[in-house]
Amino acid sequence: MFSWLGTDDRRRKDPEVFQTVSDGLKKLYKTKLLPLEEHYKFHEFHSPALEDADFDNKPMVLLVGQYSTGKTTFIRYLLEQDFPGMRIGPEPTTDSFIAVMQGDVEGIVPGNALVVDPKKPFRKLNAFGNAFLNRFVCAQLPNPVLESISVIDTPGILSGEKQRISRGYDFAAVLEWFAERVDRIILLFDAHKLDISDEFSEVIKALKNHEDKMRVVLNKADQIETQQLMRVYGALMWSLGKIVNTPEVIRVYIGSFWSHPLLIPDNRKLFEAEEQDLFRDIQSLPRNAALRKLNDLIKRARLAKVHAYIISSLKKEMPSMFGKDNKKKELVNNLGDIYARIEREHQISPGDFPNLKKMQDLLQAQDFSKFQPLKSKLLETVEDMLANDIAQLMVLVRQEESQRPTQMVKGGAFEGTLHGPFGHGYGEGAGEGIDDAEWVVARDKPMYDEIFYTLSPVDGKITGANAKKEMVRSKLPNTVLGKIWKLADIDKDGMLDDEEFALANHLIKVKLEGHELPNELPSHLVPPSKRKITE
């Protein structure tokens, strides 16, 4: 149990006690941020109020992409089993949002039932109406992967105005709602069709402010040759650069995420390395979930503060009696100037302001006379939360992480390469010869011996100075050569005999071939005559 005291008088008298970070976030939101949001109609402009399930739910991964990019197949690949409602095909098959979640029994829960379940974080989706809820289901099944994360499958994104209208609900707005609550957003692209349709472009722009959660997967990359793959990768980065306006490059993972044989196996090692990187990223989500929720609450609080300043400024400018309609039009048209004034007066970063065009559209339907003037106490409470309470919760996050065993996603595809010879890099680099009966370095030892005897050995050993003359020819930096020396000088006498010298050259070869050096020398690389020393 963790406890900490707040700064205001009430909490000095009655100190808050939180069992978990989740409890702390819920309490802070309800007592400090929610009153500000309700006072200035934040939920009518931006995002519905948060509920307990939003703070308690497992990490979620949102898959977004055009039709037939392999979103559903990607989930099937991770789980290593089918899930209820799954449909896969080259045509647009998934026409619903499917929340794939852990359950004791396989089954489907329809959208209208989902939004009344207080244990699920989807209650606020009822605002999007029946047109959406009829296209929203939860697929439940027992699966070890789903014990740690949930996955949201989305309809394939099409092109053209017709498809956008026929959905019957605001597709981009629904995705934005999910983006605020998920831990990772994976954009899938097919190596054969990189064109970003109008609707896809609109969706990516709706995900703005969530770039830190976004990852890109270039799927089906085994279907094209290496030279073409380079061109496709370049074209994808160019297309994304026009839509995602960030100075940093979004991380792109290249691979083929299904359980079929690779059509063109030339880049197998690249695909394996990329898959392991992506899996590590997904596996880290449970460990970082509390920190992500804390970060999202901070972002929400900053937006709520700015929103309060905007609404109170509009209220202040409105006349008390006549000319309200004309003044409202004038204020909406000049909203950019109001943004600039608030930015100067309150030293707020331009990045904290909501989208100007979207805000203007939303204001058109509002009655400005019902807006509230600036209430300093509400803003001071949120300022206190950001300045003091959040810092205390950060300490709690670290304490929970240290007292909790390492949390990782397990099961499914995540287990497939953990053990045995099919683990990433098994039998390669420093792992070469791990299953051989003979010492792997012995294969090239005659060549290394010829060099060894030209370096003036005394009593069967060469000095560090003489070894250095030969080792620096590799052109590796001294930091790397120093690590190789420590690994190769097994008896720690500051000199190398013929076996240690051969081992040093073997490790240099491993590094020059692009592999990482081990932190400790693997047992299969220890020279036979030195194995008693290391035992």
Side-chain angles (χ1 to χ4, degrees), residues 10 23 30 53 70 91 115 140 166 200 228 235 237 262 290 295 379 467 470 480 487 507:
R10 183 183 61 80
D23 284 341
K30 288 176 182 175
E91 75 282 5
V115 296
Q140 294 185 321
S166 68
F200 200 8
Q228 263 193 313
M237 298 304 290
L262 298 175
N295 184 56
L379 286 161
E470 177 61 30
V480 175
L487 292 169
L507 292 172

Side-chain angles (χ1 to χ4, degrees), residues 189 194-196 233-244:
F189 288 86
L194 289 182
D195 57 309
I196 298 179
Y233 179 81
L236 175 60
M237 298 304 290
W238 181 79
S239 299
L240 286 172
K242 292 197 300 180
I243 299 171
V244 183

Side-chain angles (χ1 to χ4, degrees), residues 218-435:
L218 180 57
N219 202 13
K220 306 183 184 181
D222 65 316
Q223 298 178 14
I224 52 179
E225 302 281 353
T226 304
Q227 186 179 15
Q228 263 193 313
L229 181 59
M230 290 172 61
R231 291 174 178 161
V232 166
Y233 179 81
L236 175 60
M237 298 304 290
W238 181 79
S239 299
L240 286 172
K242 292 197 300 180
I243 299 171
V244 183
N245 297 317
T246 57
E248 301 85 9
V249 177
I250 292 180
R251 177 68 163 93
V252 176
Y253 299 90
I254 303 171
S256 179
F257 295 92
W258 65 347
S259 53
H260 294 260
L262 298 175
L263 292 180
I264 301 174
D266 299 2
N267 297 306
R268 184 187 186 104
K269 283 190 178 181
L270 170 66
F271 298 157
E272 288 174 356
E274 292 284 285
E275 180 182 282
Q276 289 303 308
D277 284 353
L278 178 60
F279 281 6
R280 274 193 292 269
D281 185 66
I282 296 173
Q283 283 181 300
S284 71
L285 295 179
R287 191 168 62 248
N288 300 324
L291 205 55
R292 193 275 304 169
K293 289 169 185 170
L294 187 64
N295 184 56
D296 283 355
L297 187 70
I298 294 169
K299 284 199 286 189
R300 188 180 180 98
R302 292 167 69 94
L303 178 60
K305 271 177 53 189
V306 172
H307 179 77
Y309 285 128
I310 294 168
I311 297 301
S312 59
S313 294
L314 294 172
K315 173 67 174 178
K316 187 178 177 181
E317 296 288 333
M318 285 296 288
S320 56
M321 295 291 289
F322 305 109
K324 290 183 179 181
D325 290 343
N326 290 334
K327 188 63 177 177
K328 175 182 172 179
K329 289 178 184 175
E330 180 189 326
L331 289 172
V332 171
N333 290 334
N334 296 331
L335 189 60
D337 297 333
I338 295 172
Y339 275 19
R341 190 177 74 243
I342 294 171
E343 184 184 329
R344 286 193 308 271
E345 289 178 1
H346 301 283
Q347 289 82 50
I348 296 172
S349 167
D352 287 349
F353 284 83
N355 179 274
L356 180 62
K357 179 69 171 65
K358 182 181 174 184
M359 194 68 177
Q360 286 174 322
D361 292 342
L362 290 168
L363 284 169
Q364 299 284 2
Q366 293 289 331
D367 183 354
F368 284 22
S369 64
K370 292 182 180 177
F371 287 171
Q372 298 295 329
L374 193 65
K375 194 172 181 180
S376 299
K377 187 169 177 56
L378 287 174
L379 286 161
E380 286 167 7
T381 302
V382 173
E383 287 284 3
D384 174 62
M385 182 189 84
L386 292 171
N388 300 306
D389 298 320
I390 294 295
Q392 295 286 358
L393 269 185
M394 279 296 296
V395 175
L396 265 181
V397 169
R398 298 305 176 204
Q399 288 176 342
E400 280 195 3
E401 285 178 352
S402 65
Q403 296 196 2
R404 200 178 283 168
T406 304
Q407 289 183 309
M408 290 184 73
V409 180
K410 295 178 181 177
F414 299 100
E415 297 287 333
T417 59
L418 279 183
H419 308 290
F422 294 99
H424 178 60
Y426 188 92
E428 300 172 3
E432 183 185 356
I434 190 170
D435 296 324

Side-chain angles (χ1 to χ4, degrees), residues 23 33 39 42 50 56 63 71 87 97 157 195 222 256 262 278 304 326 348 361 389 418 460 477 481 503 516 524 533:
D23 284 341
L33 184 54
H39 195 68
F42 179 87
L50 299 178
D56 295 333
L63 299 182
K71 296 186 297 298
R87 290 173 60 212
F97 281 80
I157 296 172
D195 57 309
D222 65 316
S256 179
L262 298 175
L278 178 60
N326 290 334
I348 296 172
D361 292 342
D389 298 320
L418 279 183
L481 293 174
L503 174 60
E516 289 300 318
H524 71 280
I533 298 174

